[in-house]
Amino acid sequence: MCGIVGYTGNHQAAPILLDGLSRLEYRGYDSAGLAVRNGEALAEVVKATGKLYHLADKTDQGRSLIGTCGIGHTRWATHGDPSVTNAHPHVSGNCSGSGSGSVESDVVGVHNGIIENFAELKEKLLRHGYRFYSDTDTEVAVKLVDYYYKKYRIGPIDALTRTMVRVRGSYALALMFKDYPGEIFVARKDSPLIIGTAEDAAYLASDVPAILKYTRHVYYIDNLQAARIAPGSVKFYDLNGDEVSLPLTEITWDAAAAEKGGYEHFMLKEIHEQPTAVRDTLNSLLKDGQIDLSAAGLTDETIRSLTQIDIVACGSAWHVGMAAQYVLEDLVKIPVRVELASEFRYRSIPMAENTLVIVISQSGETADSLAALRVAKERGALTLAVVNVVGSTIAREADHVLYTLAGPEIAVATTKAYSAQLIAMDALAVQMAFARGAISPEQYGHFQEELSLIPDKIRRVLEDKERLQWFSSKIVNSHDIFFIGRGLDYAISLEGSLKMKEISYIHSEAYAAGELKHGTISLIENNTLVIGVLTQSQLFEKTVSNMVECRSRGAYLMGITTNGNFAVEDSVNFTVYVPRTDEHFISSLAVIPLQLLAYYTSVNRGLDVDKPRNLAKSVTVE
Ligand code: M6R
């Protein structure tokens, strides 16, 4: 959600800012804007609604905005509708228009996050003579900084830290002050922000891909810290305004990892990167032929002490938790509860002693997952984060971190990060089972062998993609699609359904197959597509029966099963086979055809596959 970029150096800022914003488009946005200043001159603000090219057109690809210091923003509307007036940057001056042009203003800024007490702060500022042109909480934040700056005649950092103490909510704020040409000031709490340095320049961004073309040296600014950025110099401050030092990190992944690399869409590229993402993640957890969780700090002794596992996450990461639940219960024989982070955070679930709370998140910044992690810690649980983005807030705040090595994921619909999370959770389950004596050394060896074969088997499923492309052209006009399965197959159905609806905009639902008769079957009409996941031998016949019940009410059936289950063709209209593996780990294979089906359906409907409407890659607000 919302993307922020900033640059100060010797080059013209606007083209760099536009380029950075284009690499943050995946985060989701509905308007965009730039503020650029040239030396002592006032900042020039330009904003546009819709896609980034409108802003690029308005500024002649950035060429009409002269200046070597600037900030840029893509906005995902929270307070106020998507309009030029509400788009960022916002200014402290009492201007009457939309806050754009060469506005007489002491402070101009961009923001990602939500200021929860903005109404109360706005009242206060109105009493002090401030006037507002937009409906945003950001304009309030910028004006509050201006208020402290002038009232106490203090420097930008002190004005920022006073503001940080006063506001509630989340923010990554980047501000330029009229009196400080060539400098950008930032503050952060619970919203992502990184700062990059180079010899004669400095950058800031919501995510690494925005600045990777220019520098590989970044700082991960901490919560409740501020920074002062000038060409070639970055200084950090705590809430007291005292200078603090932060470690400089070198980004090791290749810039090409965040490019399309010849694929039509990021999603298709990321689907094809799954064998590598899964292999890399698995290899990072193997040492001397054993699964080794020491990098995550989980000793066998800790694992043996656990009495309960709670998994909390959102969206697809929650589906990984649902799948992992079946595997953990069956292998580790430990009670497992899976909760949506947005629910968990507001429930008073009694926390058993020695509970491990696992938070799964690709971005490591999802607001609800972060809040759930904090609640779990407050309640005394041990916490483990399964996270893809290195240095993200969830990774930093959890007691232990297990990194997935999927690399940067750009498409809003997750694929390779989901698969990397699945394999990480499967490996975790196998190691936990072994450490607790729930499986024999022979079984341990067998499970490891099966896990190591998964990447190649995913590759084989991908080779069969043309059939799914063809099938997608048949179902492209569907109104409703139902995904059904039992046990692990239900968890896979959940993910298949979410993939389909989020990028094709076709209504879809996932049901535990046994639940159909309790209401949903009344929705089945002639030609309603029902997709059954049939990988669990014990549950196979039961789900087939449920599918046949749908067929007798007019449904058109697709089945996903493992090689050799050819009898299914007697019952369904279209079958997809995936290679056999130990049934605990089948999600990694069965999900691939569902990802491909969703992808091709979105393409066939002419939709924006990588950036579906209303969605953001990283949901950093509640
Ligand atoms: O970054 P996270 O893994 O915490 O994100 C969680 C969900 O927002 C995410 O999985 C979302 O559901 C995806 N768009 C699904 O494709």
Side-chain angles (χ1 to χ4, degrees):
M1 292 184 152
C2 296
I4 290 182
V5 289
Y7 167 78
T8 176
N10 301 327
H11 297 282
Q12 289 303 304
I16 295 174
L17 298 174
L18 282 171
D19 178 57
L21 289 180
S22 73
R23 289 165 207 283
L24 296 178
E25 279 191 289
Y26 71 89
R27 297 174 65 82
Y29 70 103
D30 40 55
S31 54
L34 299 175
V36 171
R37 63 184 298 187
N38 199 16
E40 311 269 317
L42 288 175
E44 185 83 20
V45 179
V46 182
K47 315 194 250 188
T49 52
K51 293 288 180 195
L52 202 52
Y53 63 81
H54 294 300
L55 182 66
D57 286 350
K58 240 176 160 173
T59 59
D60 187 19
Q61 312 308 312
R63 286 185 287 265
S64 67
L65 273 180
I66 306 300
T68 56
C69 178
I71 49 182
H73 189 265
T74 45
R75 173 174 187 253
W76 194 90
T78 55
H79 294 72
D81 57 8
S83 63
V84 169
T85 304
N86 287 331
H88 302 203
H90 285 290
V91 298
S92 62
N94 281 340
C95 58
S96 52
S98 64
S100 45
S102 189
V103 186
E104 179 62 52
S105 194
D106 288 302
V107 187
V108 51
V110 292
H111 164 227
N112 172 19
I114 288 194
I115 307 296
E116 285 163 8
N117 56 339
F118 86 105
E120 159 207 334
L121 296 170
K122 191 169 180 175
E123 281 300 309
K124 169 191 165 84
L125 290 165
L126 283 167
R127 284 198 301 275
H128 285 90
Y130 283 87
R131 295 287 165 266
F132 291 83
Y133 54 86
S134 78
D135 303 320
T136 65
D137 52 344
T138 303
E139 189 189 352
V140 175
V142 170
K143 286 183 164 143
L144 189 65
V145 174
D146 181 72
Y147 167 75
Y148 288 130
Y149 181 60
K150 288 178 181 148
K151 176 171 179 192
Y152 299 108
R153 297 174 187 281
I154 48 181
I157 289 293
D158 289 328
L160 259 179
T161 52
R162 273 182 188 268
T163 305
M164 289 159 79
V165 171
R166 192 67 177 79
V167 300
R168 284 199 311 274
S170 58
Y171 48 82
L173 263 175
L175 305 168
M176 294 191 294
F177 288 71
K178 190 173 125 198
D179 304 333
Y180 293 79
E183 292 190 78
I184 304 172
F185 296 84
V186 305
R188 170 180 184 265
K189 178 176 171 269
D190 294 345
S191 286
L193 189 67
I194 54 149
I195 291 164
T197 56
E199 206 176 321
D200 294 317
Y203 304 82
L204 60 96
S206 302
D207 200 357
V208 174
I211 60 172
L212 198 56
K213 197 164 146 188
Y214 310 101
T215 182
R216 293 188 159 272
H217 297 107
V218 303
Y219 293 101
Y220 292 97
I221 181 171
D222 246 317
N223 257 346
L224 293 173
Q225 286 186 338
R228 176 178 193 155
I229 297 165
S233 134
V234 183
K235 289 183 176 149
F236 296 96
Y237 302 86
D238 64 16
L239 213 45
N240 299 318
D242 293 331
E243 203 174 323
V244 291
S245 60
L246 290 183
L248 189 62
T249 305
E250 188 177 351
I251 302 297
T252 49
W253 44 267
D254 194 344
E259 306 285 345
K260 280 191 205 154
Y263 285 91
E264 201 180 337
H265 298 101
F266 278 111
M267 184 177 175
L268 189 61
K269 176 182 174 238
E270 288 160 5
I271 286 175
H272 282 87
E273 285 173 343
Q274 290 182 106
T276 310
V278 168
R279 171 158 294 139
D280 289 352
T281 302
L282 193 58
N283 285 347
S284 74
L285 299 173
L286 293 176
K287 205 165 156 195
D288 304 329
Q290 301 260 318
I291 298 170
D292 179 10
L293 302 176
S294 60
L298 280 183
T299 62
D300 286 356
E301 201 187 342
T302 308
I303 290 171
R304 279 193 283 272
S305 71
L306 301 175
T307 56
Q308 162 86 33
I309 295 177
D310 287 2
I311 304 176
V312 288
C314 303
S316 294
W318 179 72
H319 299 158
V320 170
M322 288 294 285
Q325 175 182 35
Y326 295 103
V327 183
L328 283 161
E329 279 169 356
D330 203 50
L331 296 185
V332 190
K333 317 275 184 232
I334 190 170
V336 183
R337 178 167 46 199
V338 187
E339 294 292 334
L340 291 163
S342 52
E343 291 291 313
F344 180 92
R345 62 183 292 190
Y346 294 117
R347 284 174 60 185
S348 17
I349 300 175
M351 195 73 63
E353 224 178 289
N354 296 328
T355 295
L356 174 69
V357 173
I358 305 178
V359 180
I360 307 176
S361 174
Q362 186 285 129
S363 61
E365 301 292 349
T366 300
D368 284 322
S369 303
L370 176 60
L373 170 74
R374 290 177 179 163
V375 166
K377 287 180 83 169
E378 268 163 33
R379 293 189 191 149
L382 183 71
T383 55
L384 169 70
V386 177
V387 166
N388 195 44
V389 176
V390 176
S392 54
T393 311
I394 291 174
R396 281 189 278 172
E397 292 195 14
D399 299 312
H400 303 288
V401 191
L402 198 162
Y403 278 114
T404 51
L405 301 189
E409 190 178 64
I410 307 295
V412 165
T414 181
T415 51
K416 63 173 180 170
Y418 168 91
S419 288
Q421 289 163 351
L422 268 182
I423 204 85
M425 292 302 291
D426 285 344
L428 183 76
V430 171
Q431 185 57 28
M432 283 186 160
F434 188 54
R436 293 165 68 98
I439 55 172
S440 66
E442 292 71 33
Q443 287 173 302
Y444 186 53
H446 161 76
F447 289 137
Q448 282 193 64
E449 168 76 8
E450 288 290 88
L451 286 174
S452 70
L453 296 173
I454 296 278
D456 269 344
K457 291 180 181 173
I458 295 178
R459 210 181 300 282
R460 274 160 52 198
V461 181
L462 290 171
E463 279 163 12
D464 206 17
K465 59 177 183 283
E466 279 74 21
R467 285 188 76 230
L468 288 151
Q469 189 170 15
W470 168 82
F471 186 66
S472 126
S473 65
K474 283 179 76 82
I475 62 148
V476 70
N477 292 320
S478 302
H479 286 241
D480 307 283
I481 304 179
F482 293 91
F483 292 75
I484 62 170
R486 288 169 184 253
L488 252 183
D489 289 338
Y490 170 50
I492 302 165
S493 302
L494 286 166
E495 178 60 5
S497 170
L498 180 61
K499 282 288 89 73
M500 180 59 80
K501 75 179 89 172
E502 72 178 324
I503 58 170
S504 76
Y505 313 154
I506 296 175
H507 166 250
S508 75
E509 292 187 39
Y511 269 88
E515 274 294 295
L516 277 179
K517 284 212 238 358
H518 298 283
T520 313
I521 202 160
S522 67
L523 295 171
I524 304 294
E525 295 176 344
N526 262 351
N527 289 324
T528 304
L529 177 61
V530 175
I531 300 180
V533 186
L534 304 150
T535 69
Q536 303 293 296
S537 40
Q538 230 195 331
L539 303 165
F540 180 85
E541 281 177 8
K542 291 193 184 301
T543 307
V544 170
S545 296
N546 296 130
M547 292 178 77
V548 170
E549 283 157 8
C550 294
R551 193 184 60 190
S552 55
R553 283 150 184 90
Y556 186 74
L557 303 182
M558 167 177 163
I560 296 185
T561 189
T562 45
N563 277 341
N565 281 336
F566 303 121
V568 79
E569 291 185 24
D570 298 338
S571 311
V572 311
N573 305 91
F574 179 71
T575 314
V576 176
Y577 296 98
V578 296
R580 284 185 178 273
T581 180
D582 184 281
E583 285 182 8
H584 293 99
F585 312 136
I586 195 68
S587 317
S588 294
L589 305 178
V591 76
I592 310 290
L594 296 177
Q595 295 170 342
L596 287 165
L597 189 63
Y599 170 76
Y600 286 121
T601 306
S602 178
V603 172
N604 284 332
R605 286 166 74 95
L607 300 173
D608 191 347
V609 178
D610 287 334
K611 297 185 289 283
R613 69 185 178 205
N614 305 338
L615 291 177
K617 179 68 182 162
S618 159
V619 183
T620 50
V621 295
E622 211 179 329

